[in-house]
Amino acid sequence: MDKLEALRRYFGYEAFRPGQEGVVDALCSGRDALCVMPTGAGKSLCYQIPALLLHGVTLVVSPLISLMKDQVAALNEAGVRAAYLNSSLTPGQYRRALDNAAQGMYKIIYVAPERLETPEFHMNCARMEIPLVAVDEAHCVSQWGQDFRPSYLRIREFIAGLPVRPAVGAFTATATEQVREDIGKLLELRTPYCITTGFDRPNLRFEVRAPKDKNQELLGLMQRFRNRCGIVYCATRKGVEEVCDVLNVHGYSATRYHAGLADEERRKNQDDFLYDRATVMVATNAFGMGIDKSNVGFVIHYNMPKNLEGYYQEAGRAGRDGSPADCILLYARQDVRTNQFLIDHEADNPELSAEQADAVRENQRRALRSMTDYCTTSECLRATILQYFGEKACSACGNCSNCEGEFDEVDVTREAHSILQCVSELRQRFGKTVVLDVLRGGKGERIRRLGLDKTGCYGTLCGAEEAKLRAVLDELLRTGVLATDDGEYPVLRLGKNAAAVLYENARVTMKVKRWQAKHQEEKLPNMLEKRRSTAQVPEDDPLLAALKALRRRLADAKHQPAFVVFTDATLRDMCAKKPMTKQEMLLVSGVGERKLAQYGKVFLEEIKKFC
Ligand code: ADP
Ligand code: MG
Ligand code: ZN
């Protein structure tokens, strides 16, 4: 069996996605690999295919106990012998699984990092042939990442203790240079094959909104997305509770997830969402790592996250099966302040020196600024993200709210001038709020106490709307006409491009959104058509509904989540191709031999009923 045959037979896919094949080749030839691909790109296949081709059993280290079960179920469904070892097994089950493993029953074993340290596990491993160790979510090894797990540091020792050193594959969606370096070092990768694939996810549509009333806005969105399931991320536990209540009161089946809930409830809620018993998950960022529910149709951020890495990772949980999906961020200026506060008051990681802790905070402030720029820019949102990750991008993707929106170019030269003069008259010692207050002729106690009402620029823009001035200010910051530092109380300074405006009469213009496309449904399928033919199948296609219902029944009978049977993308492809024979069924993306044997007949019958 070769790699393409394995891809077809077990997973039902015709071709590798970008980047996958190189990793498969490297690992199969015994070479280490470091693979950085965005969420949903298909990292799992990069070690699952080698596991099938190599002699012996592949170990997959994964941090998420709760998800191993589903991953293993999905593999078993596909005809791959797999098992998991973690603390959710009883001692009896655990020993049986280990015995089976020692006898070569499995091709893939998922294991929690803590297990690697137990002598029993170690002894058994010494008896097994292990050609490959795959480390999923490998960024957990780095203290610089957001999900540092000390137990990941032991992986190195574990590997070193094996009789024969296996190939080691490290997989992550986090791309920063520092984390990548740490992974190579702390896992002791040997001249690894390194690949970072494009971070673009063309099927995701990005949108930023700055609503007056977030709850109202959210309910409007839910109305629009009523046929899909999705995730709403909130910054705090309290936020999660409130938003979840609001949704439930309005008749949506929402569940919640945050670190303050008991383990048991967390697990139950997560399962409710995975098994489609609840359509909306309201959660803090504690939810989602390793979640591979493939049919998440939208991810809404109720609050702005603290950096774009986090945002892209969370938003990326939408549309993993390649179907069109929406990623919407509800922005409010308060979100910036909240994040600033968190950065300044977060307890330091005790494993870092004071100097390192300062550097970390500095990085966090810079990252927060980029996140804020994303929310206020009028440039293409996708391009903004890709540039942040160091990728070249075309300037307009046509699939984000900024590309779709219509903008009026407004001349704001007068406002810009006044702002710059005010900043320099105040000797670059004050922040945004004071500067705006002075310009608008504010009567606050502080203004008077500091004598700012005596300055020349006091009240020069009185009557101007505060929100508009703020927008101008943000634009000046974004374009380097103004600058600010990253301290706790950021003051405004003249930026490197200030002179052009102050002394060279450069015109300052700003794009202001005129019309926000609220209903993109009509436009979107056309646009995505070129990329993916199955996107044409409408959400309310009766055949699709029938196939989903059939899948539901099959999955329920096996007590498994629906996507273990077929993903939404596969069902959609079935609707598009309408196969009539088993041969034709095999042409549907996501239908392999094993799935055909299991489900081909019933799905064919269902399709025939419709044609
Ligand atoms: P991640 O990189 O986030 O770990 P996964 O491995 O969970 O992504 O894969 C995401 C989805 O992409 C899964 O539904 C998987 O079956 C699908 N997928 C992976 N590789 C391919 C491929 N070559 N062709 C079609 N679909 C694929
Ligand atoms: Mg993964
Ligand atoms: Zn765009």
Side-chain angles (χ1 to χ4, degrees):
M1 185 170 58
D2 67 10
K3 59 193 173 190
L4 273 174
E5 208 182 323
L7 183 67
R8 232 171 267 147
R9 188 189 300 174
Y10 290 99
F11 301 99
Y13 299 133
E14 278 308 304
F16 283 108
R17 285 190 181 158
Q20 286 179 327
E21 195 167 5
V23 180
V24 168
D25 287 343
L27 294 176
C28 282
S29 72
R31 184 174 170 191
D32 288 0
L34 170 54
C35 170
V36 185
M37 290 184 184
T39 310
K43 290 184 284 295
S44 324
L45 273 186
C46 296
Y47 54 80
Q48 287 166 346
I49 299 257
L52 286 164
L53 300 179
L54 292 165
H55 202 265
V57 55
T58 290
L59 297 185
V60 182
V61 183
S62 163
L64 286 145
I65 293 179
S66 54
L67 293 160
M68 289 182 188
K69 195 169 129 228
D70 292 331
Q71 272 161 19
V72 166
L75 282 171
N76 288 336
E77 268 311 90
V80 180
R81 287 170 289 131
Y84 60 91
L85 296 174
N86 61 39
S87 53
S88 75
L89 300 180
T90 63
Q93 290 173 321
Y94 183 69
R95 213 154 309 123
R96 208 163 328 123
L98 263 185
D99 277 348
N100 288 342
Q103 283 165 30
M105 285 263 289
Y106 306 122
K107 290 305 290 176
I108 302 183
I109 297 178
Y110 282 80
V111 56
E114 300 77 30
R115 287 282 135 180
L116 299 176
E117 297 167 33
T118 63
E120 189 186 15
F121 182 70
H122 219 266
M123 238 165 50
N124 276 281
C125 283
R127 291 194 284 148
M128 295 185 238
E129 183 180 353
I130 302 174
L132 171 61
V133 173
V135 182
D136 208 1
E137 315 287 355
H139 59 278
C140 290
V141 82
S142 170
Q143 297 182 346
W144 300 104
Q146 296 158 28
D147 313 298
F148 175 53
R149 308 219 166 189
S151 56
Y152 262 59
L153 292 171
R154 307 271 146 68
I155 296 175
R156 187 182 56 90
E157 284 163 46
F158 167 77
I159 291 171
L162 291 172
V164 180
R165 186 192 184 272
V168 180
F171 299 86
T172 178
T174 303
T176 65
E177 191 63 42
Q178 211 160 25
V179 172
R180 239 178 297 179
E181 236 168 64
D182 262 9
I183 293 173
K185 210 166 57 201
L186 298 171
L187 293 178
E188 282 184 344
L189 299 182
R190 299 183 183 169
T191 54
Y193 170 82
C194 294
I195 179 154
T196 304
T197 58
F199 265 60
D200 190 15
R201 300 270 310 278
N203 62 314
L204 299 185
R205 178 176 170 278
F206 292 95
E207 177 167 359
V208 175
R209 296 184 178 192
K212 286 223 164 62
D213 180 337
K214 287 192 179 182
N215 282 347
Q216 225 40 49
E217 196 76 10
L218 179 66
L219 288 170
L221 287 168
M222 298 300 301
Q223 177 67 15
R224 180 173 136 202
F225 295 146
R226 63 197 168 280
N227 289 324
R228 312 191 206 167
C229 65
I231 308 173
V232 178
Y233 278 108
C234 300
T236 61
R237 298 172 190 186
K238 191 161 152 267
V240 168
E241 297 290 339
E242 286 169 6
V243 169
C244 190
D245 283 347
V246 167
L247 292 181
N248 280 320
V249 164
H250 284 81
Y252 295 98
S253 89
T255 186
R256 61 205 173 132
Y257 190 104
H258 59 68
L261 300 174
D263 281 357
E264 201 175 315
E265 178 175 1
R266 266 209 316 255
R267 202 167 318 130
K268 179 181 171 299
N269 294 352
Q270 173 169 309
D271 279 355
D272 283 348
F273 180 62
L274 286 179
Y275 289 66
D276 296 328
R277 291 188 290 260
T279 47
V280 185
M281 171 58 89
V282 186
T284 60
N285 62 4
F287 175 77
M289 202 203 342
I291 288 280
D292 55 7
K293 185 173 169 65
S294 60
N295 64 336
V296 175
F298 63 87
V299 171
I300 295 173
H301 279 75
Y302 193 86
N303 303 104
M304 180 185 82
K306 59 180 189 286
N307 56 42
L308 270 169
E309 280 95 345
Y311 178 65
Y312 202 49
Q313 187 142 28
E314 285 155 20
R317 293 184 181 127
R320 287 168 77 105
D321 61 2
S323 308
D326 286 82
C327 308
I328 300 178
L329 197 160
L330 304 182
Y331 168 75
R333 275 192 311 114
Q334 179 58 39
D335 295 335
V336 183
R337 287 198 289 268
T338 308
N339 277 309
Q340 227 139 28
F341 181 86
L342 290 176
I343 292 173
D344 292 329
H345 294 84
E346 201 171 42
D348 289 340
N349 182 341
E351 295 177 60
L352 300 182
S353 70
E355 221 165 83
Q356 282 172 319
D358 277 345
V360 167
R361 245 194 305 274
E362 190 66 33
N363 278 340
Q364 288 173 335
R365 291 203 185 98
R366 204 170 309 134
L368 177 59
R369 265 240 302 282
S370 300
M371 185 72 241
T372 313
D373 284 348
Y374 174 83
C375 295
T376 54
T377 184
S378 55
E379 309 276 313
C380 171
L381 294 176
R382 186 183 313 277
T384 306
I385 292 174
L386 294 178
Q387 278 156 13
Y388 179 77
F389 288 115
E391 241 178 71
K392 281 206 196 71
C394 55
S395 58
C397 72
N399 194 21
C400 75
S401 55
N402 283 353
C403 285
E404 288 158 356
E406 280 184 30
F407 292 88
D408 287 325
E409 191 152 297
V410 189
D411 191 304
V412 291
T413 312
R414 188 176 85 89
E415 287 84 351
H417 248 270
S418 301
I419 290 172
L420 289 182
Q421 270 164 356
C422 182
V423 167
S424 71
E425 189 178 349
L426 300 185
R427 305 234 201 96
Q428 316 190 53
R429 281 183 314 175
F430 294 95
K432 282 188 195 179
T433 310
V434 170
V435 167
L436 290 181
D437 242 16
V438 170
L439 284 167
R440 296 178 66 241
K443 304 227 179 326
E445 188 267 334
R446 181 150 179 239
I447 298 283
R448 244 172 295 153
R449 179 160 48 82
L450 294 170
L452 296 177
D453 51 355
K454 306 281 181 323
T455 52
C457 48
Y458 181 77
T460 40
L461 291 177
C462 76
E465 209 183 308
E466 191 196 342
K468 184 187 172 193
L469 287 186
R470 269 202 192 264
V472 177
L473 225 155
D474 284 339
E475 180 68 10
L476 295 177
L477 277 170
R478 207 179 59 77
T479 50
V481 176
L482 281 178
T484 180
D485 49 26
D486 295 310
E488 195 169 347
Y489 305 102
V491 301
L492 291 173
R493 290 180 283 107
L494 298 183
K496 59 182 190 304
N497 300 326
V501 177
L502 272 175
Y503 310 118
E504 292 160 28
N505 288 327
R507 231 183 83 180
V508 183
T509 61
M510 203 172 91
K511 289 199 231 161
V512 176
K513 197 167 285 187
R514 181 198 304 167
W515 156 86
Q516 172 117 21
K518 287 234 164 168
H519 296 281
Q520 297 297 329
E521 272 90 334
E522 301 82 26
K523 238 172 86 189
L524 188 60
N526 277 339
M527 251 220 13
L528 280 170
E529 189 179 355
K530 281 172 252 140
R531 295 175 177 141
R532 209 169 279 275
S533 66
T534 52
Q536 285 172 343
V537 178
E539 201 85 43
D540 54 1
D541 183 301
L543 175 57
L544 184 62
L547 295 182
K548 280 188 179 173
L550 173 60
R551 174 180 67 176
R552 167 88 280 145
R553 289 197 297 279
L554 293 168
D556 280 350
K558 297 186 148 188
H559 303 292
Q560 275 170 358
F563 66 82
V564 168
V565 176
F566 284 129
T567 66
D568 278 13
T570 298
L571 293 190
R572 247 179 236 139
D573 202 31
M574 265 183 218
C575 291
K577 297 198 170 114
K578 296 201 178 52
M580 286 292 137
T581 64
K582 290 196 169 177
Q583 231 47 41
E584 287 170 7
M585 187 61 121
L586 269 179
L587 296 176
V588 172
S589 175
V591 182
E593 279 170 24
R594 165 83 180 217
K595 293 256 175 109
L596 179 71
Q598 278 206 60
Y599 304 120
K601 193 152 161 274
V602 276
F603 277 88
L604 280 170
E605 277 165 8
E606 193 71 33
I607 293 168
K608 277 182 194 147
K609 271 195 235 159
F610 270 83
C611 299

